[in-house]
Amino acid sequence: MSAQPPSEPAPQDGAPPPISRRTLGGLAAAGAAASAVGLSPGTAAAQEPDTAERPFRAVPGRRSPRPNILFILGDDLGWADLSSYGSPDIKTPHLDRLAAQGVRFTDAYAGSSTCSPTRFSLYTGRYPGRTKGGLAEPIPGGSAEGLPPSHPTLASLLRGAGYATALIGKWHCGYLPDYSPTRSGWDEFFGNFGGALEYYSKLGLTGEYDLYEGEVAHKDLRYYTRVITEKAVDYVGRGADDDKPWLLNLNFTTPHWPWLADGDEEESARLTARIKAGEKGVLNHLDGGSLAKYKEMVEDLDRSVGEVLAALRRSGQERDTLVFFASDNGGERWSYQWPLTGAKFSLHEGGIRVPTIVRWPARLAPGQVSHEPVFTPDWTATLLELGGARPDPAHPLDGTSLAPYLLHGERLPERELFWRVRGERALRRGDWKYYRGQNGKDQLFNIPADPREQADHAGARKELVARLRTAWEKVDATLLPYPKG
C-alpha cells in the first residue's frame, strides 16, 4: 500500500476538514466499539452485548474521513443461520456482537439466488443479466465466461478514487487466463477462482488446483478458512500503517459444500482420492454432511470473522472502518431458513433474502434494526458514494445509494427490487412481491405480513399484479437474453 494519502471529500454543512485516518484512528478506535455497547475496551471482546434493538435512526451530525471498507461474504449461508437471526442451535457470538454494534437488516436481499450472479451484481452494481458472464447461474468449472476486465467495478472505481484494494477468498467471476480480480481493479488477490474447492487439497470443480496468490498458484494444504483468515488479518494490520483508505473483499467459502470442518482430514482424503481418480461431482458431497457438521462450519465462520474483527480493533482502525457482513444467496441443504420458503437457486424469499449487518462506529449508532428492503446493487452504489468515487456513466448503476438514508435519515425513494433467473421472475415494490415460477403463474405476496409466501393475493389485486409485471418486463427488456439450450 502506498504511503501517499488520497484527497478527502470536501466537508459538508460547515464541518471542519477531516483529520487524517491514522491520527483519528489512534485517538478514538481503541474504545469505540466498547463504548458503543457500554463496555470497557478490555472487556468488549469477552462479554456479550445487550441484544435489545431499536428501529434505525440516522445520526446526521457525525463526521468522519472516508471509511475503510471490510466487505465480508459467507457462502450459501441461510437467512436464519445466525443466532441473531433466529437460529435455535447455531451460536454466532462474534457476528451477533457485530450486529449489536451496528445495524441489522431484516429485509436485505442478494442480487441473485446463486453465487456468481450475486458477485457480478456486487462488483458491477448492476443486474447480473447486463453482462454475458452474469447469465451463468452460477459459472461452472472451466467456463470461458467471466467479468470482462474492461467493465468498471467497485474495486476499480474506488481505486481510482485513491483506495487500496484487495480480494481474499472466493472470486467466482471467471477463470484464468482471461479473468482475474487483479484485472478488474483489485491490487491484491489471494484465493480461489471457482465456485467451490476441497478445503484441504484445494482441488476445484474440475479437479484443478485452485489456490492462487495473484495469478500464480500458491501451495498451502491447511484448512482453507484458516488460510484466508490469516491473510485477512495480515491485510488489516498492514492497513494501519498507511493513511490510504482500503477496500477488502473477504469472501469465505464457508459453509458451502463439501461439508468439511477444520480437522476433518480423513474425510478430506476420501474426497480428494475420488477427485484425483476422475470421479465427477465429488465436491457436491451428496453422501456427506449433517446438521451437526453444518453447525460446526457456521460457528467456525463466526470465529474466523471474530479473528479479523479483533485484528481490526488492535490496528486502531475500527472506528473508521465500515464492516459489512452478508451471505451471497440463500442457504442450501442443511441451512435454517424459517420462516422463509425456498432456498438457494429459488427466487422465493429463502433463496434471496440474506442476513446482513453493517457497522461503522464513526457514523452509525449501535443496537439498531432496519426493515427497509435493500439488495446487493444498493451496497455498491452506497460504497462508491461513501468512498468519493463516481460511477462510470457508460455503465449506469442499477442500485440506489443508501448513504442519504444511513447518514442523514432521508427516506428511500419508492423503487423496485428486480430479480431474474432461468424459469423464475420476482420484483418487490414496498410490501408487495410479484413472483412467477416454473409453472408460469403470476403470484402476489405481502412480504411483511406473509414472509412464507403462502397467501397469494393475485386474484384479488389484479391491477397491482399487472403494474408489477409491467415493471418487471420493462427491466427485463434491457437485459441480455439467456442463451438457448
Side-chain angles (χ1 to χ4, degrees):
M1 300 180 193
S2 166
Q4 180 64 36
S7 59
E8 297 287 348
Q12 301 177 2
D13 303 327
I19 62 177
S20 77
R21 178 177 316 281
R22 193 183 319 179
T23 302
L24 187 57
L27 291 172
S35 62
V37 293
L39 299 173
S40 68
T43 60
Q47 297 185 26
E48 291 299 319
D50 181 0
T51 56
E53 292 177 327
R54 61 185 184 278
F56 174 76
R57 291 187 63 181
V59 190
R62 294 187 177 185
R63 296 290 182 268
S64 69
R66 294 184 296 172
N68 301 315
I69 300 165
L70 173 56
F71 199 102
I72 307 172
L73 283 181
D75 198 354
D76 292 1
L77 184 74
W79 185 79
D81 279 336
L82 307 183
S83 42
S84 51
Y85 278 80
S87 175
D89 299 312
I90 300 172
K91 306 303 179 186
T92 53
H94 299 284
L95 288 166
D96 299 344
R97 184 177 299 114
L98 184 70
Q101 295 170 340
V103 184
R104 187 177 68 88
F105 287 78
T106 62
D107 286 43
Y109 295 89
S112 188
S113 60
T114 53
C115 305
S116 53
T118 291
R119 294 164 203 272
F120 271 76
S121 71
L122 170 63
Y123 300 149
T124 67
R126 311 174 80 208
Y127 301 126
R130 298 211 183 277
T131 55
K132 190 175 180 181
L135 298 176
E137 296 170 348
I139 291 177
S143 173
E145 299 300 336
L147 177 58
S150 60
H151 196 295
T153 64
L154 173 66
S156 68
L157 294 170
L158 285 174
R159 185 167 70 176
Y163 274 69
T165 58
L167 191 152
I168 296 173
K170 178 174 172 175
W171 164 239
H172 206 186
C173 286
Y175 292 87
L176 292 173
D178 298 316
Y179 310 105
S180 169
T182 55
R183 302 184 188 197
S184 289
W186 284 269
D187 300 318
E188 302 179 29
F189 169 60
F190 183 93
N192 62 303
F193 281 89
L197 81 171
E198 198 283 309
Y199 282 81
Y200 282 94
S201 68
K202 312 302 184 297
L203 297 183
L205 292 166
T206 60
E208 80 284 9
Y209 186 81
D210 194 15
L211 178 59
Y212 285 78
E213 187 158 19
E215 297 184 4
V216 178
H218 180 87
K219 190 69 174 289
D220 193 326
L221 300 181
R222 295 176 298 150
Y223 188 67
Y224 188 45
T225 308
R226 297 279 71 70
V227 175
I228 62 173
T229 299
E230 288 180 7
K231 287 292 182 180
V233 165
D234 174 71
Y235 187 88
V236 167
R238 284 189 282 131
D241 298 326
D242 196 341
D243 277 345
K244 193 173 187 178
W246 47 263
L247 162 71
L248 172 57
N249 288 99
L250 175 56
N251 298 343
F252 288 97
T253 55
T254 311
H256 194 290
W257 42 258
W259 314 110
L260 297 173
D262 196 359
D264 289 341
E265 297 182 47
E266 183 176 340
E267 181 68 355
S268 166
R270 185 178 76 89
L271 297 179
T272 298
R274 292 166 58 192
I275 295 171
K276 290 182 175 180
E279 185 178 341
K280 305 298 182 183
V282 174
L283 289 182
N284 292 90
H285 208 183
L286 296 177
D287 62 345
S290 65
L291 288 172
K293 184 58 60 181
Y294 187 78
K295 168 182 164 70
E296 194 175 347
M297 294 179 75
V298 175
E299 291 184 350
D300 183 57
L301 170 65
D302 179 73
R303 283 191 298 272
S304 299
V305 171
E307 289 180 30
V308 179
L309 296 179
L312 182 66
R313 184 168 54 250
R314 292 192 302 270
S315 75
Q317 303 171 92
E318 186 174 61
R319 182 179 187 274
D320 295 312
T321 299
L322 186 155
V323 178
F324 178 100
F325 177 86
S327 179
D328 59 346
N329 47 251
E332 231 219 43
R333 267 166 272 174
W334 305 105
S335 181
Y336 183 68
Q337 305 284 85
W338 183 262
L340 310 181
T341 296
K344 179 182 179 180
F345 300 109
S346 167
L347 293 185
H348 279 300
E349 292 291 286
I352 52 177
R353 201 196 292 201
V354 292
T356 299
I357 299 166
V358 178
R359 184 190 75 182
W360 185 11
R363 302 299 294 270
L364 301 177
Q368 301 193 86
V369 60
S370 172
H371 304 296
E372 291 288 342
V374 299
F375 75 151
T376 300
D378 293 338
W379 297 113
T380 313
T382 303
L383 297 178
L384 291 176
E385 180 172 347
L386 295 178
R390 294 186 178 183
D392 185 334
H395 299 85
L397 303 179
D398 289 315
T400 298
S401 174
L402 306 177
Y405 167 70
L406 292 172
L407 303 185
H408 305 294
E410 296 181 16
R411 295 189 64 175
L412 288 175
E414 182 178 81
R415 66 214 176 95
E416 290 92 23
L417 306 186
F418 170 98
W419 298 272
R420 182 190 77 171
V421 301
R422 281 184 180 270
E424 290 187 64
R425 56 170 70 177
L427 181 141
R428 181 167 174 179
R429 178 192 290 169
D431 291 347
W432 293 101
K433 179 179 175 181
Y434 163 67
Y435 172 80
R436 181 190 290 181
Q438 300 284 351
N439 63 6
K441 177 185 176 182
D442 288 340
Q443 294 181 284
L444 181 68
F445 303 108
N446 185 302
I447 295 302
D450 176 28
R452 274 191 74 72
E453 298 169 287
Q454 299 298 304
D456 182 6
H457 296 268
R461 305 291 297 268
K462 293 180 180 179
E463 291 185 3
L464 178 57
V465 171
R467 291 199 300 272
L468 297 183
R469 180 174 57 241
T470 298
W472 187 93
E473 291 173 347
K474 182 177 179 181
V475 175
D476 180 62
T478 70
L479 304 182
L480 297 174
Y482 287 109
K484 294 181 179 180

